[in-house]
Amino acid sequence: MEWLTIQQIVDGLRSKAFSAVEVTQAYLDRIRARNGAIGAYLHVMEDDALASARRVDVALAAGDDVSTLAGVPLAVKDAILVAGHPATASSKILQPYCAAYDATAIAKCKANDAVLLGKTNCDEFAMGSSTENAALGRTANPWDSARVPGGSSGGSAAAVAADTAVAALGSDTGGSIRQPAALCGVVGLKPTYGSVSRHGLIAMASSFDVIGPFARTVADARTLFHAIRGKDRYDATSSEAASSQPQAAYVKDLRIGIPKEYFGSGIDADVVTAVRAAIGVMEGFGCRVEEVSLPLTAYALPVYYVLMPSEVSTNLERFDGIRYGLSAAQRSPHTPMRLYDVYAKMRAEGFGAEVKRRIILGTFALSAGYADQYYKRALAVRNRMREEYRRAFERVDVLVSPTTPTPAWAFGEKMGDPLAMYQSDVLTVSANVVGIPGLSVPCGFVERAAVRGAGTGGGTVRLPVGLQLLARWNNEDALFALGESYEQATGWHQERPSV
Amino acid sequence: MALSTTDVRHLAKLARLDLTNAEVAQFATQLSQVLAYVDQLKEVDVNIATEAIANVSGIEDGMRDDVLHACTSKEHAAILEQFPLREGDQLKTSGVFGG
């Protein structure tokens, strides 16, 4: 029972080829065998997982119909709350925290009888592109243990890539689903902003954050997306998707745009080759392909690094050492502390460097005398960008580009220079700035020399490359249609890392 | 726009974040580099007064009825369980004044 898809599990349960408990046990065994080396999971929910699986088997035996996600073992990014279990966002400041409620997306998974295997590692408070900012644990890329899995949802991507989960939930604020999906050779979807409730997602940047699925096939990503989407009374920015435009009847009717600004000089030549080959496959489907220009693309990352830290600085005010989490006052309950110190000391101790950096940057961008010049200016450019994409999607249905500028890099390589790390999101961040959906699918491999001194035996390694598809608001269907046709035509999803 | 160590200390105070001297110095350098990078936004000719719109969801006047949804006793207990300092059902904290 390995490398299963959601459909295979549902079919197998219906035909009684296996039981839900058998599937869940197989995945728990693989976690036990592989998590030491890969470190995808921070917390395994063994008892609850088996209890859920047993409930599925009981329901099936009673003749109940099989739900969409019945018995499907899922991994959950540790920034998403599962009631009764730790939710740390891989931060020391939340190490003591136990979730008091389910995120809406989790409640929906449970309502569909999914099995939740555990909480996966991520960059602290989702801030990072390599999962190296995780304060708790370290996650390696299943394709090369000396390299990063990407971030911030690196644990969820690695769990799916290593077959220690059938699918997973992550969150994408600047690329944090698509980028690790590309680096780990799996499918990752950033849904349209507002299409999946953020209730129960530990907030990073509230106008950018969205929960989304990882899977090994486009069909599975689609199934999981449909299970978690919808308007939620606990998230005022969520909405039921209205069909944005008449959908193409056939894949060949999709008009494809190649945005020239996404193929700049900073993109690895082998990555470009793989993506150009993928575009050739789409031309073979009969799709009309044309080059388009999105001149404001260069401003996406600057807009993001003004607005996102601003929202972060506000969202992380709630970690005050008073209501939950790490508490200085708790350690010395009989020593009276100034309120200022209750905050300042605990936040100093509990937050990592990148988190502190972004809080300070955001505090600056919102401060009196600078808010107009930085925060409001960035808002205005953001609106211009939205307009630019709206116009582009009048002419094309899907934009195609590489997901990341490079394949996975070695641990430590980018940690010395924050700006260099930020650049790895240059191709993904626009979708968050304007709110459109984006899908990353595997599109081949590149060969690289093994990282020196890594003890992985020298020679070369094969690293996955991701293809990014972007569509207009609420047009995930176009992404799934094109993505699935491409996947079936090329078979990249059948490649496996040796784990 | 460069940030001085004085600027960083001031911002840290606003953010209720104790920073070591080493952190202050490092952040001043790193964040000055980031600010230099984001300064390219000045190249875009925008009218900040009219174009700085914060609404990204497209939802306007999202209203709901003013009805109380109380949490369950289980959720209530779970929340109380997380209080680091507690007296009965009450959260204990340092006073705002005189401390």
Side-chain angles (χ1 to χ4, degrees), chain A residues 299 337 347 356-357 384, chain B residues 15 30 43 45 51 94:
Chain A
Y299 300 111
M337 277 183 84
R347 288 157 64 79
K356 288 177 182 169
R357 241 190 308 272
R384 286 285 180 93
Chain B
Q30 289 172 333
E43 295 164 10
D45 180 26
E51 295 187 69
S94 298

Side-chain angles (χ1 to χ4, degrees), chain A residues 135-198:
Chain A
L136 312 170
R138 167 180 148 132
T139 305
N141 192 314
W143 295 87
D144 181 358
S145 58
R147 290 172 197 259
V148 301
S152 63
S153 314
S156 282
V160 173
D163 200 28
T164 53
V166 170
L169 292 183
S171 65
D172 192 311
T173 301
S176 290
I177 289 176
R178 291 161 289 153
Q179 186 257 40
L183 266 46
C184 287
V186 297
V187 175
L189 172 74
K190 175 215 166 291
T192 304
Y193 178 80
S195 63
V196 180
S197 170
R198 288 180 296 109

